[in-house]
Amino acid sequence: MTARVPGLTAAPVVAPRRADAATLAGLFALVLLFVPARLAVAGLPLSLTPAEIVALSLGVVWACAQMVSTTGVAKGPNPVRTAVFAYALVILAVYGYTTSLYLPSDELNLADHTLVLYFGYVSLVLIMCDGVGTRERLDFVLKALVAGGTFAAAVALLQFRLDLDLTQYLQLPGLRPSSTEEVPTVISRSALRRVSGTLGHPIEFGALSAMLLPLAAHLGFQAHRRGQGAVRWWLCAAVIAAGLMFSVSRTAVLGLAGAGLILLVGWNNRRRLAALVAFGVFLGVMKVLAPGLLGTFYNLFAGAGEDSSIIYRTHDYPWAIREFERSPIFGRGPGTWYPYKHQVFDNQYLLSLVETGLLGMLGFVGVIVTGIVVALSVRRMSSDPDVRNLALTVAACLLIPLLGAATFDLLSFPGITSVMFLFVGTAGALLRMERRVAQTPSLALRSFHDPADRSRSLTAPTGNGHGSARSGSS
């Protein structure tokens, strides 16, 4: 028996946290952004990266959790879940129709591979929407995303400044190059290096950095408001912003400008002023750190009318229309219009029309728009400033792929596509949480102010048909 010391109280026993859906989603985010995108798992008939294997595993976890009622995974209706199910059915219909016709063996293999990838994307939405049940666990996933984006941007910084490519030293056992066509990690533009970090291409890396930068800023503002350490998140934001610049990508700048417009409209005056001051200081640092970089960006937009890359993007419209007219409803098959055999379309809307027809293109746009609308709805519903700001940030981040799809073939890059679907699932998770708060306001308010009551409130039945309100351990 342990003797009790007078004047001392026994410390509360804290039970170890079990791995849950947020743990798995956070693991996916880290694997996606830490492991170079050019590496696939060896020994498989399909070229699948470690992150894609994890995404498919998340789908299996979600399906198993839906078969029981003791895991806390939500089961009720949600607009995000409905939208992604509709999109999955469209892709299945397109795949079934196009593969029932004749396809060359190479295109049939690519259609099979693309279908597997789409299962992974749908799994990401479902595990976020139904499995992440609390703000604390949702923040865990978002922090993992920002940490991974910071690492990718740090790799890009070394590529840009020192011409040192760390991805060459991340050849992990059991992995192999994902393609026989070697895509350079560093590409020249206007005597500058365009870098891609751990991603597959500088455009993908730039657009992904533009999506993660508002999220890093949100975490910084949130930590400051709560009186927590915010410096680390501002450092992450600075590194990600530098990575965006080092991609030397018009797409990244256009996407960030669109997201910034939404944020500036939704933020208060104090936050707007802080953002504008930080932006000015950042441009000054870039002027010193990378002479000529700002001038290159200016020339990219000032000389857009004569830029060869823009001319190349627009000259292929007749090709796309001609292919679309051959099968306007179902297209020619997902993933079947690929480089080295067909004309490249640097426009995801055109590529979707050709590969998946009108149905597939509308489904792609519908998923993103649903995520934006749901996020803005949560912003209107919530009275919690952190939830309102996060919902606004999610809506702004989802605008970036909607704009970027007009400037490059977004769905051909699994990295940014995966992050896009994670953000769509985040919107669905926020809606479920806000509905629960609206139905049990007194309980939610108590658990928000008293961490000791939080575990009890999360296990309280809600009676709303959404399953237990626990954090969705799977």
Side-chain angles (χ1 to χ4, degrees), residues 96-339:
Y97 174 78
T98 54
T99 55
S100 67
L101 308 174
Y102 171 76
L103 281 177
S105 60
D106 57 338
E107 296 183 6
L108 182 60
N109 291 336
L110 286 172
D112 294 340
H113 179 255
T114 302
L115 185 66
V116 172
L117 295 184
Y118 274 103
F119 278 130
Y121 299 147
V122 172
S123 300
L124 294 176
V125 176
L126 295 177
I127 205 72
M128 290 293 293
C129 181
D130 295 343
V132 181
T134 69
R135 276 293 316 285
E136 177 192 9
R137 301 306 289 157
L138 180 59
D139 280 350
F140 172 82
V141 179
L142 300 180
K143 290 174 181 178
L145 262 179
V146 171
T150 303
F151 176 79
V155 172
L157 189 150
L158 295 177
Q159 292 169 344
F160 184 87
R161 291 294 301 165
L162 303 178
D163 199 17
L164 172 63
D165 185 11
L166 287 184
T167 62
Q168 296 179 356
Y169 304 98
L170 295 176
Q171 304 291 333
L172 304 178
L175 302 182
R176 61 171 177 81
S178 60
S179 174
T180 57
E181 300 289 341
E182 182 65 27
V183 179
T185 306
V186 180
I187 302 174
S188 297
R189 168 176 268 179
S190 300
L192 290 174
R193 302 186 185 101
R194 300 184 65 194
V195 297
S196 55
T198 57
L199 279 297
H201 193 277
I203 296 179
E204 179 191 20
F205 170 65
L208 180 65
S209 298
M211 291 184 69
L212 296 181
L213 179 56
L215 182 59
H218 162 75
L219 293 175
F221 283 125
Q222 176 179 270
H224 178 74
R225 197 189 72 81
R226 293 178 176 179
Q228 302 170 349
V231 174
R232 54 181 174 174
W233 301 118
W234 294 123
L235 290 176
C236 288
V239 173
I240 292 173
L244 184 154
M245 298 293 289
F246 296 155
S247 70
V248 197
S249 169
R250 248 187 312 252
T251 296
V253 174
L254 289 173
L256 186 61
L261 182 61
I262 290 182
L263 293 173
L264 289 176
V265 170
W267 282 345
N268 56 38
N269 290 332
R270 183 178 180 181
R271 187 166 291 191
R272 290 191 196 105
L273 180 61
L276 292 176
V277 170
F279 179 69
V281 172
F282 174 76
L283 290 182
V285 172
M286 284 294 102
K287 183 71 173 178
V288 175
L289 185 63
L293 182 60
L294 298 184
T296 298
F297 273 104
Y298 173 79
N299 293 330
L300 286 177
F301 290 93
E306 302 176 356
D307 192 290
S308 59
S309 64
I310 293 182
I311 295 174
Y312 183 81
R313 280 175 167 85
T314 56
H315 91 287
D316 52 12
Y317 289 178
W319 292 73
I321 298 302
R322 184 161 55 248
E323 289 296 326
F324 167 69
E325 289 174 345
R326 294 182 179 180
S327 182
I329 303 301
F330 292 100
R332 71 190 316 277
T336 57
W337 189 271
Y338 67 99

Side-chain angles (χ1 to χ4, degrees), residues 364-449:
F364 165 67
V365 175
V367 168
I368 301 177
V369 170
T370 299
I372 293 175
V373 171
V374 168
L376 293 178
S377 298
V378 171
R379 176 176 169 80
R380 289 193 298 269
M381 293 166 57
S382 179
S383 58
D384 184 338
D386 289 336
V387 174
R388 288 172 55 82
N389 288 326
L390 177 56
L392 181 69
T393 301
V394 170
C397 292
L398 284 175
L399 181 65
I400 294 173
L402 201 61
L403 296 173
T407 61
F408 77 113
D409 47 336
L410 183 144
L411 293 180
S412 300
F413 297 94
I416 188 171
T417 304
S418 299
V419 173
M420 179 191 77
F421 278 100
L422 278 176
F423 273 110
V424 173
T426 299
L430 283 173
L431 181 62
R432 288 199 186 279
M433 297 174 199
E434 195 56 34
R435 284 174 173 174
R436 187 164 64 241
V437 168
Q439 292 181 5
T440 56
S442 60
L443 185 61
L445 182 63
R446 184 184 66 186
S447 63
F448 178 77
H449 289 292

Side-chain angles (χ1 to χ4, degrees), residues 90 93-94 97-98 327-333 353-359:
V90 165
V94 169
Y97 174 78
T98 54
S327 182
I329 303 301
F330 292 100
R332 71 190 316 277
L353 285 173
V354 170
E355 289 189 338
T356 57
L358 189 61
L359 287 177

